[in-house]
Amino acid sequence: MPAPRSEVLEIRASDDIVRVRQRVRTASVEVGLGLVDQTKIVTAASELARNTLDYGGGGTAAIEIIDDGGRRGVRIVFEDDGPGIPDISVAMRDGYTTGGGLGLGLSGARRLSNEFDIRSSPGAGTRVMIARWK
Amino acid sequence: MDRIPILKMGHALLVTIQVDMHDQLAMALEEDLTARIAATGARGVLIDISSLEIVDSFIGRMLDSIAAVSRLLDARTVVVGMRPAVAITLVELGLSMPGVNTALNVERGLALIGVSVSGDGEHDAGTEV
Amino acid sequence: MDRSGTMLFADLLGRAKTRIMADWSAELERANARVPGRVSTQELVAQGREVLELLQSAASSGDSDPTSAAYSRLRDLLAEMSRARAFQGFSPTETATFVFSLKKPVFDAFRTEPDLSPDAMSAGLWTATTLIDGLGLFTMEVFQKSREEVIIRQQREISELSTPVVKLWDGVLALPLIGTLDSERTQVVMENLLQSIVDHTAEIAIIDITGVPTVDTLVAQHLLKTVAAARLMGADCIISGIRPQIAQTMVHLGVELNVVSKATLADALALALQRIGRRVVSASPAPAVRASA
């Protein structure tokens, strides 16, 4: 069993979102996710990478292959030092946006993942974790 | 900067997206298409996304607004060839794009534009079986 | 006392093995005569001989706990037999009887032992009873687990078999759903249908739920998602055969199936044909009975 490994990508420009998508796809294929599950986690990662860029002013994405003793999966942690989110429950609502988007980024990413965790407070940046298991 | 080529086929414009688009490329496509519809007087726009492995809310929104803009310019937009996994994911994401017409492939998409342009009922002749 | 009882039992198995085996064979034969055909008496006796051999060597370790390491080879053998019986469709009683029918021969052998004090006899019998009971229970546990494996496997097979996508006409597919839909199965169904739409270039897919007894909110939502995904791909879905109770339940649950719905599969097919510009007409004036397609 290969040791879980992690890769950290910078998110500074919209090219980087494409790169995050490609690396998440590679990791999903490696852990053996089905095509639909691959598509779901890649799409979720794309939404969150864009949030990191647009609202967080850039940051990082850490892509990791995880293993809980039998089951494998992909976990991605997005971190930025941006303004943070004052009210997470409002931000999680479908259609809520401050940036002119569709407001599906956070809520959609949660629906497309098996695990979802968000931590943020005003002035302290935002950290979002998603994971999808095989 | 890269541009996605737009082909003219009779009264329709055809765009085949074959690359994993970054956001600026998508926005450039929206602008280019709007300009071409106006310049050519095209009645329909076909956007072939059968090569796309994902459509996220950004690209979804771009497709939606291309459809809305072209409608104002009297052209019908048809998105063709969306893959099953992409479709399932978009629905789960919460994006059902009600304003966008869809077709299984370019041929069907052209037929859809043709029907709407001719203004005839869709079920006129009825071939007997 | 436990240890001495175990040793007594082991000794007895060694000394009186031929007799115990003969008695046990008779027991097995009698039990097998009641449900003939599944397994030959010879085979049963051969298995019994092997069990007795392993039981003796395990008991002579002095250990009376059937879950201990000393009994691992015996447990392996019993597990293998038990699993085979579960797959062959034996009843739990038939499976358990194999081990439990060893009791009488062992008790008889103890009774006719010369020079055995009542205390020793009691200790030996106690060990024999607990051991055989323990092994019998172990047999049942394996049996049960194997049955569960069979059930899980069958569920998976049913779920794969019961979602056939059939082509009704060029460009028209039907998915007749039968049985209860759970979330996992609905997902398989959804992916199958959407892939078939691509494979057949089908413009219309009919999802027939005549054979679905109940629909809960989750399943209704899955159906809606399937319809929405098909639309994004460029295909239309028609749902047919919604039972009256299901329609009522869905309205009460607040689920609005905002899709085209038809009462029967036949109505749905008629609509589908109309949509693709086809019409079914009778081949008059030939007599209807003789009419061919």
Side-chain angles (χ1 to χ4, degrees), chain B residues 92 96-97 102 104 108 127, chain C residues 202-203 225 231-232 277 279:
Chain B
E92 204 72 51
S96 55
M97 305 202 288
T102 52
L104 289 166
R108 301 280 170 98
T127 318
Chain C
E203 281 167 88
K225 284 180 189 168
R231 198 199 71 80
L232 284 174
R279 209 146 40 93

Side-chain angles (χ1 to χ4, degrees), chain B residues 33-114:
Chain B
L33 257 179
T34 311
R36 284 293 292 276
I37 296 169
T40 59
R43 311 304 305 271
V45 178
L46 290 184
I47 305 176
D48 182 358
I49 60 163
S50 56
S51 303
L52 280 193
E53 290 181 336
I54 76 148
V55 170
D56 62 8
S57 67
F58 189 86
I59 300 172
R61 182 161 60 123
M62 172 204 79
L63 295 173
D64 232 358
S65 69
I66 288 176
V69 168
S70 63
R71 203 158 37 236
L72 289 175
L73 297 173
D74 197 19
R76 187 170 184 181
T77 300
V78 182
V79 170
V80 301
M82 186 185 292
R83 298 182 180 190
V86 173
I88 292 172
T89 303
L90 266 184
V91 170
E92 204 72 51
L93 188 62
L95 211 63
S96 55
M97 305 202 288
V100 178
N101 294 295
T102 52
L104 289 166
N105 53 34
V106 172
E107 195 187 343
R108 301 280 170 98
L110 279 175
L112 205 58
I113 291 171

